[in-house]
Amino acid sequence: MNIRSDIHGYPAGSCHLYRTGAVAQIQERLLSSGDARDLADLFQVMADPTRLRIISLLAETELCVCDIAAALEMTPSAVSHQLRVLRMAQLVKFRKEGRMAYYSLDDDHVLKLYTQSLDHLGHMPGGAIGPLGKS
Amino acid sequence: MNIRSDIHGYPAGSCHLYRTGAVAQIQERLLSSGDARDLADLFQVMADPTRLRIISLLAETELCVCDIAAALEMTPSAVSHQLRVLRMAQLVKFRKEGRMAYYSLDDDHVLKLYTQSLDHLGHMPGGAIGPLGKS
DNA sequence: TTAATATATGAACATCCGTTCAGATATTCA
DNA sequence: TGAATATCTGAACGGATGTTCATATATTAA
């Protein structure tokens, strides 16, 4: 009886965790399916160039949709769609003033995550992601 | 002559940035297209439940493919595919020992980004806050 | 050598995602 | 009122993506 043969029909192997019976131990620090999905959703929202550029604009001040669209040289429609995604993920909030909607970052956690990722990018050799592994 | 009419054929609006001519100013802090794409690629790699769970496993120790597969209750093939994605993004590295491949996190920036995002999740009002949700 | 194990990879499939387009709502101005 | 503006939204199209399946390579065991 092991996980592989029970669940996936794999023949029992000889990986050391099975020999030592340490599977339960490493599963304790395993992110739950639910948390993994929630986290993935968060990263998914950040995983778009347009949304990241919007965040970079909102990092310092609130802006209305048409100005964001102008700065990004995109249609207000496309920007509005992306702002909706950011809004639903609670990464940005907005206030209505007349016919304008002024958007800003929801809290400083967004900014922290953004700057943290920029920091990580700075540590990537060449910035771009190359093939296979590290030298 | 403004960006919208030049590039997208939109009629000139009256957004305040155009009246004050501050477009160039906000464009200075705008993330470049290239950087935005690189950052989006990084987040994209993080934006998958399986890859996040792998990262959570590798947060404390190196593991071989079959043990990761066992802990995740997935096929080694699926795990190998995801490890390849993590490897190409330089989020994990591996060493070959016989027929086994032991994977570990490439550097602590990955872990920082991961824990930072967990922290953000903990601040989400509606978001699911699981056992690992907050530290 | 032959068999079993550990990992890697290409193709295929279903699903998801960002933009465009058309159109809707709401506010302001003449 | 009617026209222009600011924003929003649903549908659709093309492209990206994660898993499965079959298969390939390499290492170890018998």
Side-chain angles (χ1 to χ4, degrees), chain B residues 21-97:
Chain B
V23 184
Q25 188 182 351
I26 74 166
Q27 278 185 330
E28 281 176 17
R29 58 173 169 271
L30 173 62
L31 203 60
S32 75
S33 286
D35 286 344
R37 225 181 303 112
D38 291 341
L39 253 195
D41 286 342
L42 170 62
F43 281 118
Q44 185 65 40
V45 174
M46 305 282 289
D48 178 76
T50 297
R51 291 194 288 267
L52 286 171
R53 300 182 92 198
I54 291 175
I55 290 174
S56 74
L57 287 176
L58 299 181
E60 293 187 28
T61 182
E62 64 174 14
L63 288 171
C64 67
V65 179
C66 66
D67 285 336
I68 297 173
L72 265 53
E73 299 179 1
M74 294 177 61
T75 66
S77 175
V79 171
S80 182
H81 275 295
Q82 298 305 341
L83 283 170
R84 183 172 174 278
V85 175
L86 289 168
R87 219 189 322 150
M88 290 197 301
Q90 303 181 6
L91 298 189
V92 305
K93 61 184 192 294
F94 76 108
R95 64 183 179 87
K96 220 47 184 293
E97 188 178 315

Side-chain angles (χ1 to χ4, degrees), chain A residues 63 67, chain B residues 4 13-26:
Chain A
L63 288 171
D67 285 336
Chain B
R4 273 170 298 175
S14 60
C15 276
H16 66 290
L17 283 186
Y18 282 99
R19 290 196 304 258
T20 61
V23 184
Q25 188 182 351
I26 74 166

Side-chain angles (χ1 to χ4, degrees), chain A residues 3-4 7-8 10 14-18 23 26-50 52-54 56-77 89-91 99-100 102 107 109-110 112-114 116-121 123-134, chain B residues 3-4 7-8 10 14-18 23 26-27 29-33 35-50 52-54 56-58 60-64 66-77 84 87-92 99-100 102 106-107 109-110 112-114 116-121 123-133:
Chain A
I3 289 177
R4 272 171 300 176
I7 297 187
H8 294 288
Y10 275 77
S14 59
C15 276
H16 67 287
L17 283 186
Y18 282 97
V23 184
I26 75 166
Q27 278 185 329
E28 281 176 17
R29 57 174 170 270
L30 174 61
L31 202 59
S32 75
S33 288
D35 285 345
R37 227 181 302 111
D38 291 340
L39 253 195
D41 286 342
L42 171 63
F43 280 118
Q44 186 64 43
V45 174
M46 304 283 288
D48 178 75
T50 297
L52 287 172
R53 300 184 91 200
I54 291 175
S56 74
L57 287 176
L58 298 182
E60 293 187 27
T61 181
E62 65 175 12
L63 288 171
C64 67
V65 179
C66 66
D67 285 336
I68 297 173
L72 265 53
E73 301 180 359
M74 295 178 60
T75 66
S77 174
Q90 303 182 7
L91 298 189
R99 57 186 157 184
M100 324 269 283
Y102 289 94
D107 59 37
H109 276 85
V110 188
K112 273 188 190 172
L113 202 59
Y114 171 68
Q116 177 82 49
S117 64
L118 273 181
D119 196 42
H120 179 91
L121 205 65
H123 288 254
M124 309 272 277
I129 295 174
L132 280 170
K134 193 181 172 184
Chain B
I3 289 175
R4 273 170 298 175
I7 298 184
H8 294 290
Y10 274 76
S14 60
C15 276
H16 66 290
L17 283 186
Y18 282 99
V23 184
I26 74 166
Q27 278 185 330
R29 58 173 169 271
L30 173 62
L31 203 60
S32 75
S33 286
D35 286 344
R37 225 181 303 112
D38 291 341
L39 253 195
D41 286 342
L42 170 62
F43 281 118
Q44 185 65 40
V45 174
M46 305 282 289
D48 178 76
T50 297
L52 286 171
R53 300 182 92 198
I54 291 175
S56 74
L57 287 176
L58 299 181
E60 293 187 28
T61 182
E62 64 174 14
L63 288 171
C64 67
C66 66
D67 285 336
I68 297 173
L72 265 53
E73 299 179 1
M74 294 177 61
T75 66
S77 175
R84 183 172 174 278
R87 219 189 322 150
M88 290 197 301
Q90 303 181 6
L91 298 189
V92 305
R99 57 184 159 187
M100 324 269 283
Y102 290 94
D106 195 315
D107 59 36
H109 276 86
V110 188
K112 273 187 190 173
L113 202 58
Y114 171 67
Q116 177 83 50
S117 64
L118 273 181
D119 196 43
H120 179 90
L121 205 65
H123 287 253
M124 308 273 276
I129 301 174
L132 261 180

